[in-house]
Short mmCIF file of all heavy atoms in Angstrom, two decimals:
data_model
loop_
_atom_site.label_atom_id
_atom_site.label_comp_id
_atom_site.label_asym_id
_atom_site.label_seq_id
_atom_site.Cartn_x
_atom_site.Cartn_y
_atom_site.Cartn_z
N TYR V 1 6.71 4.83 -11.46
CA TYR V 1 7.77 4.50 -10.43
C TYR V 1 7.44 2.95 -10.10
O TYR V 1 6.56 2.67 -9.44
CB TYR V 1 7.58 5.29 -9.21
CG TYR V 1 7.86 6.78 -9.38
CD1 TYR V 1 7.42 7.60 -8.35
CD2 TYR V 1 8.64 7.37 -10.40
CE1 TYR V 1 7.75 9.09 -8.46
CE2 TYR V 1 8.96 8.67 -10.52
CZ TYR V 1 8.51 9.50 -9.65
OH TYR V 1 8.77 10.87 -9.74
N GLY V 2 8.36 2.14 -10.47
CA GLY V 2 8.31 0.80 -10.19
C GLY V 2 8.38 -0.17 -11.52
O GLY V 2 9.21 -0.97 -11.55
N PRO V 3 7.42 -0.03 -12.44
CA PRO V 3 6.24 0.74 -12.53
C PRO V 3 5.10 0.17 -11.58
O PRO V 3 5.19 -0.99 -11.20
CB PRO V 3 5.80 0.72 -14.02
CG PRO V 3 6.37 -0.53 -14.41
CD PRO V 3 7.55 -0.82 -13.67
N HIS V 4 4.22 1.02 -11.26
CA HIS V 4 2.98 0.59 -10.35
C HIS V 4 3.28 0.47 -8.97
O HIS V 4 2.45 0.61 -8.06
CB HIS V 4 2.42 -0.60 -11.01
CG HIS V 4 2.24 -0.77 -12.46
ND1 HIS V 4 1.66 0.32 -13.25
CD2 HIS V 4 2.57 -1.70 -13.25
CE1 HIS V 4 1.69 -0.05 -14.52
NE2 HIS V 4 2.29 -1.22 -14.59
N VAL V 5 4.58 0.27 -8.59
CA VAL V 5 4.91 -0.11 -7.25
C VAL V 5 4.58 0.88 -6.16
O VAL V 5 3.92 0.65 -5.17
CB VAL V 5 6.49 -0.39 -7.13
CG1 VAL V 5 6.85 -0.64 -5.66
CG2 VAL V 5 6.84 -1.59 -7.96
N THR V 6 5.03 2.16 -6.35
CA THR V 6 4.71 3.23 -5.32
C THR V 6 3.34 3.41 -5.20
O THR V 6 2.85 3.68 -4.09
CB THR V 6 5.55 4.40 -5.63
OG1 THR V 6 5.05 5.11 -6.86
CG2 THR V 6 7.00 4.28 -5.83
N ASN V 7 2.53 3.54 -6.29
CA ASN V 7 1.11 3.75 -6.19
C ASN V 7 0.40 2.59 -5.43
O ASN V 7 -0.53 2.79 -4.59
CB ASN V 7 0.45 3.87 -7.53
CG ASN V 7 0.66 5.33 -8.11
OD1 ASN V 7 1.16 6.21 -7.47
ND2 ASN V 7 0.19 5.47 -9.29
N GLN V 8 0.81 1.34 -5.73
CA GLN V 8 0.28 0.15 -4.97
C GLN V 8 0.62 0.34 -3.49
O GLN V 8 -0.25 -0.09 -2.62
CB GLN V 8 0.67 -1.09 -5.56
CG GLN V 8 0.06 -1.21 -7.01
CD GLN V 8 0.63 -2.38 -7.77
OE1 GLN V 8 1.52 -3.12 -7.35
NE2 GLN V 8 0.15 -2.60 -8.95
N LEU V 9 1.83 0.69 -3.25
CA LEU V 9 2.29 0.88 -1.79
C LEU V 9 1.42 1.91 -1.05
O LEU V 9 0.97 1.77 0.06
CB LEU V 9 3.67 1.18 -1.73
CG LEU V 9 4.79 0.03 -1.97
CD1 LEU V 9 6.15 0.64 -2.13
CD2 LEU V 9 4.68 -1.08 -0.87
N ILE V 10 1.29 3.06 -1.77
CA ILE V 10 0.44 4.08 -1.13
C ILE V 10 -1.00 3.67 -0.87
O ILE V 10 -1.55 3.94 0.26
CB ILE V 10 0.38 5.36 -2.09
CG1 ILE V 10 1.83 6.04 -2.19
CG2 ILE V 10 -0.68 6.30 -1.64
CD1 ILE V 10 1.92 7.03 -3.26
N ARG V 11 -1.52 2.94 -1.74
CA ARG V 11 -2.84 2.39 -1.53
C ARG V 11 -2.93 1.47 -0.38
O ARG V 11 -3.74 1.54 0.46
CB ARG V 11 -3.35 1.68 -2.91
CG ARG V 11 -4.81 1.07 -2.67
CD ARG V 11 -5.20 0.42 -4.02
NE ARG V 11 -6.60 -0.06 -3.99
CZ ARG V 11 -7.17 -0.51 -5.01
NH1 ARG V 11 -6.61 -0.61 -6.20
NH2 ARG V 11 -8.40 -1.03 -4.85
N GLU V 12 -1.90 0.48 -0.28
CA GLU V 12 -1.86 -0.38 0.81
C GLU V 12 -1.72 0.30 2.11
O GLU V 12 -2.45 -0.10 3.15
CB GLU V 12 -0.81 -1.43 0.56
CG GLU V 12 -0.68 -2.46 1.82
CD GLU V 12 0.50 -3.49 1.46
OE1 GLU V 12 1.05 -3.55 0.40
OE2 GLU V 12 0.92 -4.13 2.53
N ALA V 13 -0.84 1.29 2.26
CA ALA V 13 -0.53 1.80 3.43
C ALA V 13 -1.62 2.88 3.99
O ALA V 13 -1.64 3.02 5.16
CB ALA V 13 0.84 2.62 3.24
N LEU V 14 -2.30 3.49 3.06
CA LEU V 14 -2.95 4.78 3.39
C LEU V 14 -4.45 4.78 3.23
O LEU V 14 -5.17 5.66 3.66
CB LEU V 14 -2.36 6.00 2.76
CG LEU V 14 -0.88 6.28 3.10
CD1 LEU V 14 -0.43 7.54 2.34
CD2 LEU V 14 -0.71 6.41 4.64
N THR V 15 -4.96 3.71 2.52
CA THR V 15 -6.45 3.71 2.32
C THR V 15 -7.05 3.15 3.70
O THR V 15 -6.56 2.21 4.29
CB THR V 15 -6.90 2.74 1.19
OG1 THR V 15 -6.20 1.50 1.26
CG2 THR V 15 -6.42 3.48 -0.09
N PRO V 16 -8.25 3.69 3.99
CA PRO V 16 -8.99 4.76 3.34
C PRO V 16 -8.20 6.17 3.59
O PRO V 16 -7.58 6.35 4.66
CB PRO V 16 -10.38 4.93 4.19
CG PRO V 16 -10.06 4.33 5.44
CD PRO V 16 -9.00 3.15 5.24
N TYR V 17 -8.02 6.82 2.44
CA TYR V 17 -7.08 8.05 2.54
C TYR V 17 -7.69 9.12 3.46
O TYR V 17 -8.79 9.40 3.42
CB TYR V 17 -6.98 8.65 1.11
CG TYR V 17 -6.29 7.69 0.13
CD1 TYR V 17 -6.90 7.15 -0.95
CD2 TYR V 17 -4.99 7.33 0.36
CE1 TYR V 17 -6.29 6.38 -1.84
CE2 TYR V 17 -4.31 6.40 -0.52
CZ TYR V 17 -4.96 6.00 -1.60
OH TYR V 17 -4.28 5.11 -2.62
N PRO V 18 -6.79 9.83 4.20
CA PRO V 18 -7.28 10.94 4.99
C PRO V 18 -7.82 11.98 4.15
O PRO V 18 -7.32 12.23 3.03
CB PRO V 18 -5.98 11.45 5.71
CG PRO V 18 -5.05 10.18 5.69
CD PRO V 18 -5.41 9.52 4.50
N GLN V 19 -8.84 12.65 4.59
CA GLN V 19 -9.55 13.66 3.75
C GLN V 19 -8.66 14.70 3.41
O GLN V 19 -8.80 15.22 2.22
CB GLN V 19 -10.75 14.22 4.57
CG GLN V 19 -11.56 15.25 3.80
CD GLN V 19 -12.82 15.69 4.62
OE1 GLN V 19 -13.09 15.12 5.66
NE2 GLN V 19 -13.58 16.54 3.88
N GLU V 20 -7.76 15.15 4.16
CA GLU V 20 -6.82 16.28 3.80
C GLU V 20 -5.65 15.85 2.93
O GLU V 20 -4.83 16.66 2.44
CB GLU V 20 -6.28 16.91 5.11
CG GLU V 20 -5.33 16.03 5.94
CD GLU V 20 -5.95 15.09 6.83
OE1 GLU V 20 -7.28 14.91 6.72
OE2 GLU V 20 -5.33 14.34 7.69
N LEU V 21 -5.50 14.56 2.72
CA LEU V 21 -4.28 14.17 1.96
C LEU V 21 -4.49 14.48 0.46
O LEU V 21 -5.43 14.03 -0.11
CB LEU V 21 -4.05 12.66 2.11
CG LEU V 21 -2.83 12.01 1.44
CD1 LEU V 21 -1.57 12.72 1.89
CD2 LEU V 21 -2.85 10.56 1.59
N VAL V 22 -3.42 15.04 -0.10
CA VAL V 22 -3.42 15.31 -1.57
C VAL V 22 -2.31 14.41 -2.21
O VAL V 22 -1.16 14.58 -1.90
CB VAL V 22 -2.98 16.89 -1.86
CG1 VAL V 22 -2.89 17.07 -3.33
CG2 VAL V 22 -4.27 17.70 -1.29
N ILE V 23 -2.72 13.60 -3.18
CA ILE V 23 -1.83 12.76 -3.83
C ILE V 23 -1.60 13.34 -5.23
O ILE V 23 -2.56 13.60 -6.00
CB ILE V 23 -2.33 11.39 -3.98
CG1 ILE V 23 -2.47 10.68 -2.43
CG2 ILE V 23 -1.32 10.52 -4.88
CD1 ILE V 23 -2.94 9.29 -2.52
N VAL V 24 -0.33 13.67 -5.50
CA VAL V 24 -0.05 14.29 -6.84
C VAL V 24 0.70 13.33 -7.68
O VAL V 24 1.79 12.79 -7.30
CB VAL V 24 0.87 15.55 -6.57
CG1 VAL V 24 1.23 16.11 -7.93
CG2 VAL V 24 0.13 16.57 -5.71
N THR V 25 0.24 12.92 -8.85
CA THR V 25 0.92 12.08 -9.63
C THR V 25 1.25 12.69 -11.02
O THR V 25 0.99 13.84 -11.24
CB THR V 25 0.00 10.77 -9.94
OG1 THR V 25 0.76 9.71 -10.60
CG2 THR V 25 -1.22 11.10 -10.81
N LYS V 26 2.21 11.94 -11.75
CA LYS V 26 2.65 12.48 -13.01
C LYS V 26 2.22 11.48 -14.20
O LYS V 26 2.26 10.24 -14.01
CB LYS V 26 4.12 12.65 -13.03
CG LYS V 26 4.60 13.80 -12.08
CD LYS V 26 6.09 13.90 -11.98
CE LYS V 26 6.64 12.65 -11.17
NZ LYS V 26 6.31 12.56 -9.83
N VAL V 27 2.05 12.09 -15.44
CA VAL V 27 2.01 11.28 -16.58
C VAL V 27 2.88 11.84 -17.67
O VAL V 27 3.27 12.96 -17.57
CB VAL V 27 0.44 11.24 -17.07
CG1 VAL V 27 -0.46 10.40 -16.08
CG2 VAL V 27 -0.09 12.56 -17.38
N GLY V 28 3.11 11.02 -18.67
CA GLY V 28 3.98 11.50 -19.73
C GLY V 28 5.17 10.67 -19.99
O GLY V 28 6.04 10.86 -20.79
N ALA V 29 5.34 9.48 -19.24
CA ALA V 29 6.48 8.51 -19.35
C ALA V 29 5.92 7.23 -18.95
O ALA V 29 4.94 7.00 -18.31
CB ALA V 29 7.47 9.00 -18.63
N VAL V 30 6.62 6.13 -19.48
CA VAL V 30 6.36 4.78 -19.03
C VAL V 30 7.71 4.14 -18.97
O VAL V 30 8.85 4.71 -19.34
CB VAL V 30 5.52 3.88 -20.09
CG1 VAL V 30 4.10 4.55 -20.17
CG2 VAL V 30 6.07 4.14 -21.56
N ARG V 31 7.78 2.77 -18.48
CA ARG V 31 9.00 2.04 -18.29
C ARG V 31 8.91 0.90 -19.26
O ARG V 31 7.90 0.24 -19.48
CB ARG V 31 9.22 1.60 -16.96
CG ARG V 31 8.97 2.72 -15.87
CD ARG V 31 10.12 3.71 -15.99
NE ARG V 31 11.32 3.23 -15.56
CZ ARG V 31 11.72 3.13 -14.25
NH1 ARG V 31 10.87 3.47 -13.33
NH2 ARG V 31 13.01 2.67 -13.91
#
């Protein structure tokens, strides 16, 4: 997604990540 954009936004917005937060990602495609 972006590529890389959404993951970098998530890192900027939410680190340090809450202990209860589950981040689900996908692989199998590129742009």
Side-chain angles (χ1 to χ4, degrees):
Y1 293 164
H4 318 308
V5 169
T6 62
N7 281 353
Q8 292 170 357
L9 286 169
I10 289 169
R11 180 178 184 175
E12 178 181 343
L14 300 178
T15 53
Y17 295 116
Q19 184 175 358
E20 67 277 8
L21 181 64
V22 175
I23 298 177
V24 181
T25 191
K26 288 177 290 297
V27 294
V30 293
R31 310 293 289 280

